[in-house]
Amino acid sequence: MPALTDNMRGALLMVGSMTAFTFNDACMKALSDELPLMQALFLRGMATSALIYLFLQLTGRFDLNIPRRDWGIIGLRTLGEIAAAYFFLTALFNMPFANVSAILQALPLTITLAGALFLGEAVGWRRLVAILIGFGGVMLIVRPGGEGFNVYSLYVVAAVFAVALRDLCTRRLSPSVPSMSVALITALAVGLAAGLASVFEGWAPVSGRAAMQLAGSAIFVMGGYLLSIMVMRTGEIGFVAPFRYTSLVVALILGYAIFDEWPDNLTLLGAGIVVATGLFTLYREHRLTRARLRHTRAEEAATG
């Protein structure tokens, strides 16, 4: 059997990461029958924090020696994560599973647009058109004012923008900042924020079934974190990134198998448009990155 290339290994890691995160979402949605949102988020946050801390201690990677400049960025990133968790999970508790995942697929488009607006990254007219068409696909899923409109669809859109803020902050972090230390800080902050909010929401008894779902959620989140970090260090991002759309396929399967849900035709059409425009945007970014790299090498050869 031939050895896997770095690109194929990276693609498998991305599939694993997206699958783990989607299974986590399924565990959290299943909890909505028994536990209030903030209680569930607090318990998951504490369990995830404990798992990450244990991993860091076992691997000798626990390191909070972070430059002062990066602490401010981590603070803003954490606020984005808290907002994303609130909006996303509130929607997840009140919407069909696959519909939430379908809207979330607009994230690559949103990050590309935000990078152009706030980080001065170059975005050509082709990608701008793709972004606009992609957001049109989101509107087909959300359908504001339509008969089946659910206000929680707007919560997912808010979560997309909150995640975009989080990811833009991540891009601004110094390369020396340990990824898992940031993950630990984030998990703790989200859990503690949910714990404070749960005082006003009230608590419910945790059954054995709910405890298993919470444990599963924490394990899947931990696995998603680890695999996503490994993805960034394996293969070409232009080849690996499109495999993030695995999450939509997994969400469709889990939504049907566990929650007996299946999106209507307009939602599926909108999801298809979002995925297609996202893939086109990733393809264009990959081509432009390779062109810039060839240009840089040509200049180095000319001056060398």
Side-chain angles (χ1 to χ4, degrees):
M1 183 176 177
L4 289 175
T5 64
D6 283 344
N7 278 346
M8 289 304 299
R9 191 176 294 108
L12 290 174
L13 289 170
M14 178 65 86
V15 169
S17 173
M18 293 298 101
T19 300
F21 282 130
T22 309
F23 268 87
N24 154 69
D25 295 339
C27 289
M28 291 299 289
K29 183 172 178 62
L31 280 168
S32 64
D33 293 337
E34 293 191 42
L35 300 182
L37 170 61
M38 291 303 162
Q39 178 187 355
L41 191 53
F42 169 73
L43 293 174
R44 188 194 72 175
M46 294 302 100
T48 304
S49 300
L51 286 174
I52 295 174
Y53 179 74
L54 180 62
F55 171 80
L56 291 173
Q57 288 289 0
L58 290 175
T59 57
R61 296 181 181 178
F62 183 71
D63 180 12
L64 292 180
N65 186 24
I66 297 171
R68 182 178 300 176
R69 164 195 173 273
D70 290 297
W71 277 110
I73 298 174
I74 290 173
L76 183 59
R77 182 189 184 279
T78 301
L79 289 176
E81 186 74 68
I82 291 171
Y86 169 74
F87 285 118
F88 177 75
L89 289 175
T90 301
L92 191 65
F93 273 38
N94 294 278
M95 280 182 64
F97 187 58
N99 290 39
V100 175
S101 183
I103 299 172
L104 202 63
Q105 304 311 311
L107 183 58
L109 301 173
T110 308
I111 292 173
T112 300
L113 181 61
L117 293 175
F118 301 109
L119 299 182
E121 296 179 357
V123 176
W125 68 269
R126 293 180 182 85
R127 280 189 290 170
L128 285 175
V129 170
I131 289 169
L132 291 175
I133 294 173
F135 285 133
V138 171
M139 289 300 102
L140 281 178
I141 303 169
V142 175
R143 295 197 291 279
E147 182 180 343
F149 173 69
N150 187 329
V151 70
Y152 293 109
S153 298
L154 300 181
Y155 277 54
V156 191
V157 175
V160 168
F161 285 102
V163 173
L165 170 63
R166 180 201 69 187
D167 288 355
L168 288 178
C169 289
T170 304
R171 289 189 184 187
R172 305 295 290 180
L173 288 172
S174 303
S176 61
V177 175
S179 299
M180 288 304 290
S181 295
V182 176
L184 175 60
I185 294 167
T186 301
L188 270 174
V190 171
L192 292 174
L196 290 174
S198 70
V199 173
F200 305 98
E201 190 180 54
W203 278 49
V206 180
S207 67
R209 175 173 172 268
M212 290 180 63
Q213 290 166 341
L214 281 168
S217 177
I219 291 169
F220 283 127
V221 164
M222 174 69 175
Y225 278 143
L226 288 174
L227 291 171
S228 64
I229 290 169
M230 293 168 69
V231 164
M232 293 299 105
R233 296 176 176 176
T234 308
E236 300 174 23
I237 191 64
F239 180 89
V240 171
F243 289 89
R244 68 170 292 110
Y245 292 110
T246 303
S247 61
L248 179 57
V249 178
V250 176
L252 286 168
I253 295 170
L254 293 179
Y256 182 75
I258 298 176
F259 305 109
D260 195 25
E261 300 169 349
W262 188 257
D264 59 29
N265 291 335
L266 271 180
T267 298
L268 290 173
L269 175 61
I273 292 171
V274 171
V275 170
T277 52
L279 288 172
F280 175 78
T281 301
L282 291 169
Y283 166 73
R284 289 294 302 171
E285 288 179 357
H286 179 56
R287 282 196 61 181
L288 292 171
T289 299
R290 291 179 71 89
R292 283 194 293 267
L293 183 60
R294 285 196 300 268
H295 180 69
T296 301
R297 287 175 176 171
E299 285 187 338
E300 290 175 350
T303 57

